[in-house]
Amino acid sequence: MTTTSIDEKQSASAHHEDNDLADLVRDIDTGEINELAVVAEGEERTTWFVWILVLCSTISGLLFGYDTGVISGALVSIGSDLGPEQLSNGQKEFITSSTTLGALLGGLVAGVLSDWTGRRPVLGIADIIFIGGAIAQAVCHDVWSMIGGRFLIGVGVGLAACIAPLYIQELSPTRLRGRMVVLNVVMITLGQVIAYGIGAGFANVHGGWRWMVGLGAVPAGIQFVLLFFLPESPRILIRRGDIDKARGIMAKIYAFASAEQVDLKVKVLHAAVQKSIEISNTTTLVQRAQSMLFDPVNRRALIVGCGMQAFQQLCGFNTLMYYSATLFKEIGFDQPTAVGLIISGTNFIFTLIALKWIDRIGRRKIMIWSAPGMVFGLTLASISFHYLTRKTGGDLVDGTKYSTAWSAIVLVSMIIFVASYATGLGNVPWQQGELFGLEVRGLGTSLSTATNWAGNLLIGATYLSLMAKITPAGAFGFYAGLCLLGWLFVLACFPETAGLSLEEVKMVFKHGFGIRESQRLRKAKREIREKERDQARRDG
C-alpha cells in the first residue's frame, strides 16, 4: 500500500488528473523531479513475471558467452581436421576475429532495427542466426568454412549483445534495473563456464570440437520458442499507440504499486514516448544520427557509452576468453582448457557479486573501486612474464619447460585481473541503454555496441602478433596502461545512474557529464522516499 495518507492520495490523484502530457514533458526537459512521477510502491521488489521474463531474455547472454568462450577449447583440439597439420597464428586470429567482425556488423544494425520491429523480433532473428552458425561450424571441413560459420555466429552475438540488455532495461523496475542487466552478464559468464567445461570434456575426443560448437544451437532453439510467450517493451507498445497493453505490462512489472501509481508511471512514460515520436516524425534517421554528435546531451551520452565499451575491450580481457587455453598450454600447464575453466569460473563468481551490489553501491563507485585491481593484475602478469621468459629471450616458446612458480603467479595475476573486471567493467558498460533518450536509444546502443566489437576486433586480431612483437611482458604491460587510462576516463566522465529512471537519466547530461547532477537527482529521490516514510509513521 502507498505510504501517503488517504487525503494526500486523493489530492495527488486530482492534481495529476489535471496534469497533461505537456506538463510532464516540461518536467523532463527542465530536469526538475516530479515527486509522485518517480516514486512507486514496491520498486525494490521483483515479481515472478519480471524474473521469468528476464531469465528467458538472458538466454541471449548465455549464447553470447558460450559462443565466444567455446572457441578457446576448440582451437587447441581442431588439430588437422580443417586441412593444415596445425593451425597457424594467422589462421587462429582469422577464426576468432571473424566472430568479432560479424558482431560489429550485427551490433551496428541491432538497435535501429529494434526501433522499427520491436525488441523481441530482433532476439528471434539472433536465435535463428545462432542455430545456423552452430550447424555451419559443426559440419565444416576447411578453414574458410569455419571462418564463415564463426562470422555468422558473430552476427547473432552482435544482435543479442545489443538488444538483450536494452529489452531487459525497458521491462525492469527502476530500482532493480542494474541488477536485472547484470543477470544477463551472469548468463554470459555462465555460458563461458559451460563452454570451458564442455571443451574440457571433449578435449580428448576425436572430432570433439564439432560437438563443442554445434551444441550452441540448443539454447538458441529453446529461446526462440520462449519468445512467442514474452511481451514487447512497454515503450515500443506506447510508441505504436497500444496504451492498454502497455499499462497491463507495467501493472505486472510494478505489481506492488497502487493503480494510481501505475497509471502515473504510464502517463510519464507516455509523455517521454510522445516526445520521442514527435522527434522521430519530424526528423530522418540521418538527422537523428547527426543529433548524436551535435546535440550536447546526446553527444555526452554517446561519449560515455562508447568510452565505457572501448574500455571494456581495450583492457584485453577477451584475449583471455579466446586464447587462455593456448596461453596456459604454452607456459606449461598439462590441462590448459581445465585451467581456462578456473578463469571463466572466477569471472562467473565475481559477476554474481556485482549482481548483488551494482544497484546498492552504484555503477560509478563499483567502477572506481574495481578498475585499480585490473591495473594491478595486469602489471603483476607483465612482471611474471618477464621473469618467466628470461631464458627464451622474452618470448613464449611452445614445449619449453618454464618455472612452475612463475607460471603459478601468472595464473594468480589473471585471477586478480578477471575478478576485478567481473566486479565492475564486465557489467557496467552494458547498462548503456539507460544513457540515451528513447528517440535515439536504439541508435545510441548500436553505436556503443559497435564500439565494443570494434575494440574486440582490434584486440583479438592483434593479440598473438603483439605477444610476438613486444613479448608477453610488453603486451600485458601495454594492457595495464590502457586500463589506467580507462580508470581516469571513469573518474572524469562517468556519472551515477543507479536509482534514476530511464527518463531521468537524460536530465543528467543537460550541463556537462553530470557527475554532480546525478548525485543531486539521486539525493532528491532519497529525500522524497524519506519524507513519505516519515509521513507514514506520523499517520500511524
Side-chain angles (χ1 to χ4, degrees), residues 67-86:
D67 283 309
T68 53
V70 77
I71 196 62
S72 179
L75 286 177
V76 296
S77 60
I78 285 174
S80 60
D81 289 355
L82 296 181
E85 187 64 29
Q86 197 71 32

Side-chain angles (χ1 to χ4, degrees), residues 110-349:
V112 177
L113 181 63
S114 73
D115 282 344
W116 179 52
T117 66
R119 314 305 189 205
R120 193 177 55 160
V122 178
L123 292 178
I125 294 169
D127 286 328
I128 294 170
I129 294 173
F130 276 126
I131 294 169
I135 295 172
Q137 290 176 92
V139 301
C140 70
H141 286 88
D142 60 69
V143 173
W144 283 107
S145 59
M146 181 66 172
I147 290 172
R150 293 299 297 171
F151 175 80
L152 197 58
I153 281 288
V155 175
V157 166
L159 293 173
C162 180
I163 300 304
L166 180 57
Y167 182 63
I168 292 168
Q169 281 177 328
E170 293 186 341
L171 282 156
S172 298
T174 295
R175 295 189 66 190
L176 296 173
R177 188 177 64 241
R179 191 177 303 177
M180 294 295 102
V181 174
V182 171
L183 192 58
N184 187 62
V185 183
V186 169
M187 293 295 278
I188 293 174
T189 61
L190 178 61
Q192 291 166 342
V193 171
I194 292 172
Y196 276 87
I198 289 176
F202 282 100
N204 298 316
V205 177
H206 178 68
W209 66 270
R210 297 187 186 277
W211 285 99
M212 296 181 204
V213 295
L215 285 171
V218 176
I222 293 171
Q223 187 185 49
F224 184 76
V225 174
L226 291 175
L227 284 173
F228 288 98
F229 303 98
L230 298 185
E232 185 51 86
S233 161
R235 288 163 175 81
I236 296 296
L237 291 173
I238 291 176
R239 178 181 280 180
R240 293 172 180 169
D242 199 341
I243 306 297
D244 290 338
K245 188 176 287 187
R247 182 179 287 107
I249 295 170
M250 292 289 280
K252 291 180 180 179
I253 294 171
Y254 295 99
F256 303 102
S258 66
E260 292 83 0
Q261 288 172 335
V262 172
D263 285 341
L264 187 56
K265 282 280 186 182
V266 174
K267 182 178 282 190
V268 173
L269 192 57
H270 188 196
V273 172
Q274 191 67 34
K275 185 172 178 62
S276 165
I277 292 171
E278 291 171 4
I279 293 173
S280 298
N281 289 342
T282 56
T283 59
T284 64
L285 178 61
V286 173
Q287 287 173 322
R288 289 194 294 280
Q290 289 175 335
S291 79
M292 295 299 300
L293 298 176
F294 299 114
D295 182 306
V297 173
N298 292 339
R299 183 173 64 246
R300 292 175 192 126
L302 185 65
I303 289 171
V304 172
C306 290
M308 292 301 293
Q309 290 287 18
F311 182 14
Q312 187 188 81
Q313 290 305 319
L314 296 180
C315 74
F317 172 79
N318 271 342
T319 60
L320 287 180
M321 290 299 102
Y322 297 146
Y323 298 114
S324 62
T326 303
L327 176 65
F328 291 130
K329 180 183 177 184
E330 287 179 332
I331 65 176
F333 286 98
D334 294 331
Q335 298 291 330
T337 304
V339 177
L341 185 57
I342 295 174
I343 297 298
S344 59
T346 301
N347 192 20
F348 175 67
I349 290 168

Side-chain angles (χ1 to χ4, degrees), residues 491-510:
L491 290 172
C493 301
F494 186 63
E496 184 56 76
T497 56
L500 301 179
S501 74
L502 294 178
E503 284 62 48
E504 290 162 354
V505 172
K506 187 176 180 179
M507 303 176 191
V508 167
F509 296 108
K510 290 284 184 182

Side-chain angles (χ1 to χ4, degrees), residues 393-470:
D395 296 319
L396 283 175
V397 179
D398 203 6
T400 303
K401 187 73 173 176
Y402 288 110
S403 164
T404 54
W406 282 113
S407 295
I409 294 174
V410 168
L411 178 58
V412 169
S413 69
M414 296 301 180
I415 291 172
I416 294 170
F417 167 63
V418 170
S420 302
Y421 172 91
T423 305
L425 192 58
N427 304 286
V428 173
W430 293 114
Q431 309 289 335
Q432 60 190 10
E434 66 189 14
L435 300 172
F436 303 99
L438 182 62
E439 68 278 2
V440 292
R441 187 169 296 149
L443 181 60
T445 53
S446 282
L447 292 172
S448 298
T449 304
T451 301
N452 178 291
W453 293 112
N456 192 325
L457 179 62
L458 178 64
I459 291 294
T462 59
Y463 168 72
L464 293 178
S465 301
L466 193 68
M467 293 273 280
K469 291 286 185 184
I470 64 172

